[in-house]
Amino acid sequence: MRVAIAGGGLAGLACAKYLVDAGHTPIVLESRDVLGGLVAAWKDEEGDWYETGLHAFFGAYPNMLQLFKELGIEDRLQWKQHTLIFNQPDKSGRLSRFDVPDIPAPFNVIMSILRNNDLLTWKQKIRFAIGLLPAVVRGQKYVEDMDKYTMTEWLRRQGVDEGVNTDIFIAASKALTFINPDEVSSTILLTALNRFLQERYGSKIAFLDGSPTERLCQPIADYITERGGEVRLNAPIKEIVLNPDRSVQHFLIRGEQQTEALTADAYVSAMSVDIVKLLLPEVWKSIPFFQKLEGLEGVPVINLHLWFDRKLTDVDHLLFSRSDLLSVYADMSNTCREYANPERSMLELVLAPAKDWIGRSDADIIAATMKELEWLFPQHLSGDNPAKLLKYKVVKTPRSVYTATPGRQNYRPDQVTPIANFYLSGSYTMQRYLGSMEGAVLSGKLTAQAIASANLPADAAAPDLTPRSLPLSPSTTNAATA
Ligand SMILES: Cc1cc2nc3c(=O)[nH]c(=O)nc-3n(C[C@H](O)[C@H](O)[C@H](O)COP(=O)(O)OP(=O)(O)OC[C@H]3O[C@@H](n4cnc5c(N)ncnc54)[C@H](O)[C@@H]3O)c2cc1C
């Protein structure tokens, strides 16, 4: 069966990968000249990489880790020490660590919290543990029900001290969703916490050993093309053209000279939700399934790269800045093999929330960032001989992952739509891993599974659903069953 997939981000690529495994012929159509979507990266004039986002992989990403294994590229994940590292806003340049011991979950995470005395007092820890009990005992159903509250509201309802919010959840919320706890649905952070509490290595972090485009997306594309599929760049979908019965007749691709009609047996949109809404055919707009997409919208975020003339730190890990302007950051010259430099630091930082900054000039953004960095690296950026900023790159994404405010779970669509030959993929679609790389890969896998098990048109090939050809781990179930 030929399957046309619009979008060459992780969801579209994963969908195509699992379709070729099932014996089908996917054609991935990516609008840009680079694969990866929100994980896309480019090289500057001097050959240095810059990326759409600083990306961390977690131990609690079973589908992503399985994909690495299936592609034979597991060695490209550089696993870091099992610890979470936070800056301390009241102690310039000082770090605080939650070292997770190698004992079974949830005792490892509990122990890491109990042993950290920089951030939380004992009273705060005890109140927090009691507040968290319903999530641990009643599981994902309870967590989903909490989608009506922001994280701040949930913490207040559970009687958790405001200090826990300031010390932990502002940083966690900005890192996972690019918005603050007074805006984010508590379901998001409770889901992440639950995974960390249930899996021994769930909160362990890895960095890719190079750019996601080359080191992750390209091997998926090669896998697809070596098995008869196609991956096309510079192939933007201009229109979804319908049959009289409202099913898809073809994707119309905008070419440089002329348009091209691409026909297939099934069609997938793996484009971001903001683009899908723009391309929805008029007659689909009255269908409640598609109307719900109006409740979802991408959140702005900015990714920064700063190259310095010297080493600012030797920390080989992700750090939570806990600054107002910034979210997580890493010195990529330590964390990533291909970006390694023993002499000079390259800081990659996420600026979030970014709604007040997305329209500002790069120079303004860098000036504000440098001020925050003086606080994070006082020994190198203040004083008589501060480190010199050699160059920088600012990558703005006005609409990234869906904005995870309360109530959004109800708007996230299934991969199967009411249109028989049209499917959705993307980290915004309903799956248990929210707007993440794991969510994107899982959504692609779920879409491939749905297509492979659908009733096919009479002239299409029979699907091969053996576990060998379409490996779907038990963890590929949807949120509702998790
Ligand atoms: C700054 C930042 C940091 C992040 N950090 C992390 C992290 O540490 N860990 C983590 O797990 N996740 C992280 N994420 C989230 C993660 O990157 C995304 O959830 C995931 O990559 C989304 O993949 P996707 O395939 O669903 O969507 P997208 O990546 O948005 O892919 C959609 C694709 O569709 C293409 N497209 C659009 N219009 C058309 C058209 N008309 N025709 C054809 N193609 C089209 C786009 O070009 C794009 O390639 C981060 C994201 C950002 C922005």
Side-chain angles (χ1 to χ4, degrees), residues 300 302 353-360:
I302 301 175
K355 66 176 186 315
D356 297 335
W357 287 94
I358 202 85
R360 304 275 293 267

Side-chain angles (χ1 to χ4, degrees), residues 275-467:
I275 305 286
V276 182
K277 286 192 294 188
L278 288 177
L279 288 180
L280 269 189
E282 210 47 48
V283 294
W284 288 0
K285 288 186 179 164
S286 56
I287 301 174
F289 177 93
F290 293 113
Q291 276 174 347
K292 283 209 304 186
L293 297 179
E294 287 304 322
L296 300 173
E297 193 181 332
V299 66
V301 66
I302 301 175
N303 202 49
L304 306 168
H305 312 71
L306 287 86
W307 285 264
F308 289 93
D309 67 343
R310 70 181 79 153
K311 221 55 188 168
L312 301 189
T313 174
D314 56 5
V315 175
D316 174 13
H317 217 296
L318 186 77
L319 293 110
F320 293 80
S321 75
R322 296 187 60 218
S323 91
D324 282 345
L325 186 72
L326 305 168
S327 171
V328 283
Y329 68 99
D331 186 338
M332 298 298 276
S333 72
N334 301 330
T335 55
C336 172
R337 213 168 286 139
E338 201 179 332
Y339 305 175
N341 190 331
E343 313 289 332
R344 293 172 174 179
S345 284
M346 190 279 255
L347 296 186
E348 194 168 331
L349 311 103
V350 179
L351 190 160
K355 66 176 186 315
D356 297 335
W357 287 94
I358 202 85
R360 304 275 293 267
S361 71
D362 289 2
D364 276 2
I365 292 168
I366 292 298
T369 302
M370 286 301 288
K371 273 219 122 13
E372 302 263 353
L373 291 181
E374 278 174 33
W375 181 255
L376 299 179
F377 299 99
Q379 66 280 35
H380 294 292
L381 292 175
S382 46
D384 297 341
N385 180 26
K388 208 166 139 210
L389 179 63
L390 299 176
K391 64 174 179 179
Y392 61 80
K393 275 277 179 207
V394 176
V395 182
K396 294 177 180 171
T397 306
R399 299 206 172 186
S400 67
V401 294
Y402 78 94
T403 315
T405 49
R408 293 314 97 185
Q409 293 294 82
N410 285 332
Y411 293 98
R412 296 177 68 196
D414 196 77
Q415 290 74 31
V416 177
T417 79
I419 306 299
N421 65 351
F422 183 72
Y423 298 81
L424 296 176
S425 257
S427 65
Y428 73 93
T429 62
M430 193 43 129
Q431 38 72 28
R432 67 192 278 202
Y433 286 96
L434 319 164
S436 64
M437 294 186 287
E438 169 70 7
V441 168
L442 174 54
S443 75
K445 201 181 236 186
L446 290 169
T447 309
Q449 182 187 38
I451 293 171
S453 56
N455 284 331
L456 298 176
D459 57 345
D464 176 358
L465 277 173
T466 59

Side-chain angles (χ1 to χ4, degrees), residues 211-325:
S211 87
T213 302
E214 247 186 28
R215 303 294 286 170
L216 173 58
C217 298
Q218 195 54 47
I220 313 178
D222 293 343
Y223 185 101
I224 295 162
T225 49
E226 281 158 15
R227 288 160 181 78
E230 264 182 72
V231 178
R232 288 172 55 181
L233 297 175
N234 301 308
I237 304 305
K238 182 174 176 276
E239 195 183 338
I240 302 170
V241 179
L242 303 188
N243 291 307
D245 68 355
R246 302 201 294 187
S247 64
V248 181
Q249 186 188 76
H250 61 260
F251 276 166
L252 197 64
I253 304 169
R254 190 176 44 237
E256 269 183 19
Q257 309 294 336
Q258 55 193 31
T259 53
E260 174 194 344
L262 190 115
T263 53
D265 301 299
Y267 299 83
V268 178
S269 163
M271 302 176 286
S272 65
V273 67
D274 300 285
I275 305 286
V276 182
K277 286 192 294 188
L278 288 177
L279 288 180
L280 269 189
E282 210 47 48
V283 294
W284 288 0
K285 288 186 179 164
S286 56
I287 301 174
F289 177 93
F290 293 113
Q291 276 174 347
K292 283 209 304 186
L293 297 179
E294 287 304 322
L296 300 173
E297 193 181 332
V299 66
V301 66
I302 301 175
N303 202 49
L304 306 168
H305 312 71
L306 287 86
W307 285 264
F308 289 93
D309 67 343
R310 70 181 79 153
K311 221 55 188 168
L312 301 189
T313 174
D314 56 5
V315 175
D316 174 13
H317 217 296
L318 186 77
L319 293 110
F320 293 80
S321 75
R322 296 187 60 218
S323 91
D324 282 345
L325 186 72

